[in-house]
Amino acid sequence: MSSTQTSTSRPSHYIGIGASAGGLEAIDAFFKQMPPDSGCAFIVVQHLSPDHKSLMAELLSKRTEMPVSRAEEGMQVEPDHVYLIPTNHNLRIFHGKLLLSEQTRDGGINLPIGIFLASLAEDQGDKAVAIILSGTGSDGTRGVRAIKERVGMVMVQSEDSAAFDGMPRSAVATGLVDYILPPEEMPEQLISYIQHPYSKKSAPSDTLLSDEDGVNRIFAMLRERTGVDFAYYKPSTMLRRIERRMSVNQILSLRDYVRYLELYPGEIDTLHRDLLIGVTNFFRDPQVFKQLREKWLPELLSRPEAGAIRIWVAGCSTGEEAYTPAILCHELMTDAGRLAEVKIFATDVDKDAIAIAGAGLYPESISADIPAEYLRKYFHSRDNGYLIARHIREMVVFAQHNVIKDPPFTNISLISCRNLLIYLQPVLQQRVMELFNFSLNPGGILLLGTSETTGEMTDYFEALHHKWKIYRSRGRKHRDSLSEQAMSFDASGKLVRSTAPALGRPHRPTRHEEETIIERLLRGISDRYLPFTMVINHDMELLHMVGDAADYLRFPTGRMITDVSKLAVKDLAIPLATGVQKAIKGQRDIEYSNIHLRNDGGIAATVNMHISPLPATKAQTPLLAVFIEPLKPDRGAIAQAGGQSYDVGKEAVQRINDLEQELQFTRESLQATVEELETSNEELQATNEELLASNEELQSTNEELQSVNEELYTVQVCRYLVKDFGTSQSPKSTRQRDSRYCPDRPALITTPSRTLQQSCSCATPS
């Protein structure tokens, strides 16, 4: 087979479908609507009974034209085929081939859906799609996280359409689900997703890479809403996740996606979660924690100064990475028979992840990661999962913290930062590593992810285990030796530069230093060389000023006002407002000469005013500079020749015309709003009248029902009264027994029962 044929025979996407109790109906509804020629491969993983033969293949063959077969060892996955998991087996995928393994019966919970989805994410990356259907428990939740970390897509059955909503609810709780739909609506959405141009690419689009302004605007919105700056994260990873969100929302251009973010701020939060997603679980990479438990943690706990052990877990996500060392430390202290004060600082930039970590409640799927002994000792079973034991929870302090810009922790014995550095550009990796070096005690342990290294900081760390990335600090921590890219923190927590540049390197000011230098320069020359200067935005808000404002601005008492047109003195307000509008519309400099500023005694001063738009990129806020320079009497003629002489009458007329146009526009908008409100009021009034009519009808019906109820009660009473005595009674007792009132007759009835039956119209003859 040629290479061309091989490439075309591969599925465009691999769809992993997980279902448990009640899933048969959902699977049936899904494939009934799924076209047979989508180019995708479908792998269905169910919870099957080990004692009964599954008939899913026979049943599903009647609902789809695609070939349906049970998975076999080494079977190559082909497009437009459906594969089913066999009984008593777990299923994985490797290089597009299915691998089977027998399920173990050791009393633990088997999670075949999570196992397969995790392998699918690892094998197919952004070509993987997870679909979670009806089922109990939380199987599939781990797989959802793995799929999203590899930039795949996740669909979940809506809870109201699921026979059992345990699995869908657990998946939705991760906050990573792209679509929540009934099974019959999933195929249409899936086809739209896989046919989107970005879904067919394995690398970020050149269009996105070239649109730097659009990407910067997205990063600016993310920083403004979440406080996280993604500008120095790896571009390929960030752009791929942005493209994935564009595919999910069916948006083709980055410019349209920027507008979508502006209209729907909730999408910013969703994109933020997608950019920060990381796969984590208890005892991830078990060999790493085996090394820690057997060698390095006992060494830390046995040191003389081990009365207070401080551990920092940076990028703790939902808390698994923090609780794992807490459990190990407690185990070691229990075995040694001595307790030490262990405090674990667990930090992450994602506040939602910190909230989950602080609650300490995890789904049942964690039982696949935690040894059974630890699960019994350190977790309490709940209806919806497992709750971490209180004494372990009290060992950990969770906090929202940005390792890039927030002050680091100090006197740390162990730092765990796993799979965070791989998302950062080298400049930030260097900075974070130098901060870790500063935080660690001499001989402290640094634990990184299996794909991370210390980079250029090899002189500061000794490798204890190359494969599992465990390092020891050499104790060389000097704040004045940080690199140019890295920054440290002073006692107040503000960013500062190193005061001593590295030997042999020219000192290059950072952006922060450049801004400080410019401020110092402005303060130094403002009194001697600069006229009074204001920096304002297009909304006329005062942002910065240089020089003495006493002659030009008046700050009223009460609430602070920043509108310069209201702060300026009366004679300066009109030319200032008019000039700013002209400068904004024409994007050019505006200059007025001979503006007379009056006081009670006449003309107090004559000034020139120059308004100039400041240069800016598309990502920056447009600003203007306003220069006001007083004129000496002998320079009036020169100044008048140099610029446009200000005519109060002419400019006032222009300003009045502008204000009249603005007022007219406001009136038209107000009139349209009033008309809309009147229409809405009429509709509400009509609805109210309909409700009143309905109320009257209901009241009439209620009266009729009351009447019928009274008649039924009358019949029931009469039937009760009319009895056949049958036995002889004394006249007295008979009379007492028969003395009743008939509802239809006011007279007292004392006749025998047979006479009563004839005389009472409501009685039924016996």
Side-chain angles (χ1 to χ4, degrees), residues 311-317 321-322 345-349 401 403 409 414-420 432 436 447:
I311 298 175
W312 180 14
V313 180
C316 68
S317 189
E321 295 282 351
F345 303 98
T347 64
D348 198 278
V349 73
H401 179 275
V403 70
F409 296 89
L414 169 66
I415 292 180
S416 173
C417 181
R418 310 184 68 209
N419 304 309
L420 170 63
V432 171
F436 285 168
L447 177 61

Side-chain angles (χ1 to χ4, degrees), residues 574-575 578 646-659:
I574 291 180
T578 304
Y646 179 73
D647 186 343
V648 177
K650 180 180 177 182
E651 296 299 333
V653 170
Q654 178 64 37
R655 180 61 177 163
I656 291 171
N657 289 336
D658 293 340
L659 292 174

Side-chain angles (χ1 to χ4, degrees), residues 1-14 39-40 76-79 124 127 200:
M1 182 179 291
S2 66
S3 60
T4 305
Q5 290 173 325
T6 303
S7 62
T8 56
S9 65
R10 295 185 59 186
S12 63
H13 289 76
Y14 293 74
C40 300
Q76 181 70 47
V77 176
E78 298 181 4
Q124 297 300 327
K127 300 301 180 184
K200 301 177 181 179

